[in-house]
Amino acid sequence: MSSSGGSETTRPAPLVRPRSGILWGWVGLAFLAAGLLALVLYRWWFPEPRRRLAGAMVQWVGLLESGPGTNAVTLSGRLRIVEAHGRWRPWQGADLHLMFQPPDRVRLEGRGPGGLKLLWIRNGDRLEVHNLEHGRGFLGRPAEVQAPGGTTETLDPIRSPVAPGKVWMAVLTLDVQELPGTTERPSNEYAIRVRPRPQVVRSGVLPPGEVRLWLQEADGLPHKVEIRSSEEFPLVVLICDDWRIERATAADAWHFQPPPAHRVEQVPIRALAGYWNQWWDMPPSSARETRPSEVSANRGKNHAALHKAEGTHPDAPVLTVQGPATERAREWGNPHFGQTGWTVRRLVYGWGVHRSLVEGEWLVPLGAVARAATGPPAEAGDIYQALARSAGLDEAEILAAHQLAATLPFQYWTAHVRRENRLVWCLGLSGSDGDGFLAAEQLRWLVHRPGSGLAWTTPVWPGLWSGRLLLNERQLALLWLDGPADPGSAGWFPILLGNLMEQCASAEAAVERLKEAGWAVGCRFLLVDGPNDTAVELVRREAGIEVRPLVPGPRSKAEAVSSVGGSTGDDSIAAPEAPDPLPELETMVSHRPSRGPGAGMSWNTCVIPATGETWLARWSGEGRRSDPETFRWNALIQLRPGGNGTALRFRTVGTQGSLEKDRVR
């Protein structure tokens, strides 16, 4: 079409509508898909049991991080332990009232371990405990000498192990499930089962096991807690009642004014603090602690220890160390680094402090080590120092552990049995796990092969040098029964007795050595010379030594005939004879008596010095397990250079005491 001027005009372009509606539609759809995906992932990663635990943990962390000042709150409640086993056994029947004001104020009062009426108070860096029945108390004092780096011993504030912003991430490391079979629980509670994931356990962040929680809907606080090491039985069952959260309590609640007759003794604060920490100190796994890579990373220069770590089965009842004394100490500490520290802490800060509370007298010797003591040999201090450094401990802790181990209850027995067409002596020993503080399954016979001298073996806990029963390669057996006159020197006895076994090839030589040994004053021993089949009782007095032959008793069934260790009665060494010893000995070692000699013991062992036959039975302290793990081997084969005899494991079948045998691979 032409204009009036004759020029051609262009047509207007068609109108193009913007596509913004479609664009925003896709954006909205993407947000919707992302939201649905997030919801699906949330429901997948956080199913209802895990969400409930996370919600409760948020409240727990908020309480722990509330802190002092205007935000201060006090949590109070009643705690009852209705079932306890293993390391928790002393707390059976405990009934306590708790007051807790974060971050550093705690008060526990009521019936504590052993049924004692106790009062524990922590107020800042002040820690005290009182036995209200005996009118005795212990007040923690800081260390007299500063620790390396110039720091002093102080108490850390009680804080949440999880940062407030990382609770949901922490829950992802746990396997949380609804507890089956709890449909009859109150409507205001929910029950869950919590386990660490396998990779978390392997990394060492959390120990294996399981915690079952019955949580209140309103505030997430637990009404019931079960701590388990396995599916079958709980280690501890805790009932929590009367929870209250209030504003900060008056300062008077964190102080105790003792009556005039109440005696208060100052003790190392690390001992009282360690008593609380060791309840949560899990026994390490043998399989994990003996991995050669970890030994190399931690200590890494002892090739003998690495070789032993590679060849040791976790269930093996016999372990071997060799070389000079200090090298044996390093080897004993290196591959068993975790177990050594655990044993020492349980003896010093567990058994020792617990007995102090029960008896109302401080029994934990954590003073400076007297390296120039007249009784021990010159190398004794070097041995404990090497053992302490290998295990990452204090030398005073090692000495205190050996001294406290000498106070563990024990009982002994003797028998005259027929082996290889002759009558020979058998020495037996039953021992305690220290009210559950020690794990009986960790007790083993340790073989010492010195660089020069006789090899010897003894039943002992990890990290300790020797026990009360010793046997050397010349078939000389020694059983330490009583003494010494100075209880403070008992911590050196493991080294002294070991030296005696390394240097004496016969009972006569041992008697001559003990006559001149001032450290043996006040002691009583049994000596059995295997090749000659002679047995004597020795009593070392200030004026000399008394030697009395051990005479077999009438022909009868072999049985435990001793009284509690420490008795000096003549009947404590009576010795019945058994015509067919092996079934009798195996049955006796593998069954823990319910009363009489051996009652309350957690392990039995016996040895026939003339033949080297050795038995060891260990009862687990966890749950309601009553059947022991029983082993039999020949100790003389283990004592020979390069000797590695095979041990047989006995498994109790049914209730008739029959035993099945298999090899420990």
Side-chain angles (χ1 to χ4, degrees), residues 77-97:
R78 181 188 179 191
L79 308 179
R80 292 179 292 129
I81 298 180
V82 297
E83 187 174 352
H85 304 279
R87 63 186 183 279
W88 295 92
R89 197 169 73 208
W91 289 89
Q92 175 73 42
D95 190 345
L96 298 163
H97 180 261

Side-chain angles (χ1 to χ4, degrees), residues 127-358:
L127 183 62
E128 55 187 310
V129 57
H130 301 273
N131 185 329
L132 302 180
E133 293 180 356
H134 291 174
R136 293 294 301 270
F138 304 112
L139 174 63
R141 68 168 186 270
E144 297 178 359
V145 180
Q146 287 187 336
T151 60
T152 58
E153 292 178 337
T154 58
L155 300 175
D156 294 329
I158 303 174
R159 295 293 188 185
S160 169
V162 180
K166 297 183 178 181
V167 172
W168 292 87
M169 295 178 60
V171 173
L172 290 176
T173 66
L174 305 173
D175 180 16
V176 186
Q177 299 177 6
E178 185 177 2
L179 193 60
T182 57
T183 56
E184 298 181 359
R185 68 179 184 272
S187 59
N188 60 344
E189 292 182 6
Y190 56 92
I192 56 177
R193 177 173 60 190
V194 183
R195 300 172 184 164
R197 292 184 177 272
Q199 56 268 32
V200 177
V201 175
R202 287 194 297 268
S203 65
V205 176
L206 291 175
E210 175 181 305
V211 178
R212 298 185 177 186
L213 300 169
W214 284 257
L215 302 176
Q216 300 175 165
E217 294 272 6
D219 51 22
L221 294 174
H223 170 66
K224 181 180 178 181
V225 180
E226 286 188 9
I227 300 176
R228 296 171 174 248
S229 61
S230 63
E231 280 275 355
E232 192 173 4
F233 300 121
L235 282 176
V236 61
V237 179
L238 175 68
I239 303 296
C240 311
D241 297 315
D242 304 330
W243 286 120
R244 300 181 67 181
I245 300 179
E246 303 171 320
R247 299 186 67 85
T249 306
D252 294 344
W254 316 110
H255 295 278
F256 174 68
Q257 185 62 39
H262 194 91
R263 296 174 55 190
V264 179
E265 179 181 356
Q266 287 196 353
V267 300
I269 194 170
R270 64 169 172 165
L272 295 182
Y275 179 73
W276 286 110
N277 295 336
Q278 56 84 33
W279 293 110
W280 312 100
D281 194 8
M282 300 293 291
S285 167
S286 298
R288 179 181 182 274
E289 69 176 359
T290 56
R291 279 174 12 201
S293 59
E294 293 190 5
V295 177
S296 178
N298 289 330
R299 305 296 174 199
K301 292 185 179 180
N302 193 318
H303 299 290
L306 296 178
H307 176 73
K308 176 53 60 181
E310 293 173 349
T312 299
H313 190 277
D315 292 334
V318 184
L319 298 173
T320 302
V321 291
Q322 53 191 351
T326 53
E327 184 177 340
R328 276 178 280 151
R330 286 191 293 268
E331 185 177 348
W332 186 215
N334 285 344
H336 307 281
F337 170 75
Q339 284 189 350
T340 297
W342 185 85
T343 299
V344 170
R345 288 191 297 271
R346 299 292 283 178
L347 277 170
V348 176
Y349 305 117
W351 163 258
V353 177
H354 176 69
R355 295 309 305 169
S356 300
L357 297 178
V358 171

Side-chain angles (χ1 to χ4, degrees), residues 47-107:
E48 183 178 3
R50 185 170 288 167
R51 293 199 305 271
R52 288 181 177 272
L53 176 63
M57 288 180 60
V58 168
Q59 298 186 63
W60 302 344
V61 171
L63 175 66
L64 291 173
E65 298 296 328
S66 60
T70 58
N71 295 327
V73 296
T74 299
L75 174 69
S76 62
R78 181 188 179 191
L79 308 179
R80 292 179 292 129
I81 298 180
V82 297
E83 187 174 352
H85 304 279
R87 63 186 183 279
W88 295 92
R89 197 169 73 208
W91 289 89
Q92 175 73 42
D95 190 345
L96 298 163
H97 180 261
L98 166 70
M99 294 178 61
F100 171 46
Q101 180 179 313
D104 54 8
R105 288 182 171 180
V106 182
R107 180 185 178 110

